[in-house]
Amino acid sequence: DDTDGIQLDNFGFGVSFLTATGQAIFGGDGGFHIFDPLELTRNTLHQSPKIQITELQLNNQKVILPIWEKEALHLSYQENTFAFGINCIDYKNPDKVHLEYRLEEYDGIWRKAGSEKTANYVNVPPGTYLFKVRGANSEGYLSEQEKTIKIIISPPWWQTWWSKLLGLLIIG
């Protein structure tokens, strides 16, 4: 079916080629597909899938940032509504992957990601959190490692320790 990520019904007649290294090339509407059939089988069937954090949104605005390279994310108290795009790499059947996520110190349980593959959070209080994603590919193989990113939401200046201390000194 078309959930495997390849445009099966739009290939041009006679627009295919097998390279000397065994890669298959198929042309069609909007471009072409190239892949190694042996590599496709080796990577997706019996191995732990790779989990990725693919996108960041702050206050419902997409942020242009290579979030997948980040280990930590520092946010202001005004950036406490955010969403992550998440994915489990599965070339065989990408629509049949299963993803779960949680924000440690905020979520009590793992949440299931729907078909939109987005983790949404609204009005998260200042603090330090660890966002985690885990998943299974279409064959049911679980990811061996969770993908994580540390999130630090700074408090507003009037909630900082130094502001409170200054207030006590002024009053006292």
Side-chain angles (χ1 to χ4, degrees):
D1 62 11
D2 63 355
T3 63
D4 60 9
I6 296 178
Q7 54 176 346
L8 292 176
D9 56 346
N10 293 325
F11 288 114
F13 179 73
V15 186
S16 62
F17 182 73
L18 188 61
T19 69
T21 60
Q23 291 180 315
I25 302 172
F26 297 95
D29 294 347
F32 63 92
H33 294 281
I34 181 169
F35 68 95
D36 182 342
L38 296 176
E39 189 68 26
L40 182 66
T41 303
R42 276 194 299 266
N43 284 343
T44 60
L45 293 181
H46 304 296
Q47 293 183 359
S48 173
K50 183 177 180 183
I51 305 298
Q52 287 186 330
I53 300 173
T54 59
E55 181 180 311
L56 171 65
Q57 290 184 16
L58 293 175
N59 298 323
N60 298 315
Q61 297 293 317
K62 187 174 181 177
V63 177
I64 306 300
L65 174 78
I67 191 67
W68 53 89
E69 295 177 354
K70 300 288 184 186
E71 293 181 15
L73 187 61
H74 296 267
L75 305 174
S76 76
Y77 71 96
Q78 296 171 320
E79 297 173 315
N80 65 349
T81 295
F82 52 89
F84 291 106
I86 55 179
N87 202 357
C88 175
I89 305 301
D90 184 335
Y91 297 111
K92 183 174 182 220
N93 211 332
D95 289 335
K96 293 186 180 176
V97 301
H98 300 282
L99 290 161
E100 294 181 328
Y101 62 91
R102 73 182 286 201
L103 189 59
E104 280 190 353
E105 305 300 326
Y106 185 79
D107 288 327
I109 59 171
W110 286 89
R111 299 181 188 195
K112 291 183 190 240
S115 60
E116 71 279 353
K117 298 178 184 156
T118 303
N120 294 297
Y121 289 96
V122 178
N123 295 326
V124 177
T128 301
Y129 306 94
L130 187 63
F131 178 71
K132 293 182 169 186
V133 184
R134 65 184 181 189
N137 64 14
S138 61
E139 297 290 321
Y141 288 93
L142 299 174
S143 54
E144 292 176 1
Q145 291 187 326
E146 298 166 344
K147 183 68 176 174
T148 63
I149 186 169
K150 185 177 185 178
I151 301 170
I152 302 157
I153 302 175
S154 300
W157 67 268
W158 61 87
Q159 289 182 357
T160 61
W161 67 268
W162 56 266
S163 172
K164 292 175 184 177
L165 179 62
L166 183 61
L168 285 174
L169 290 174
I170 291 173
I171 294 173

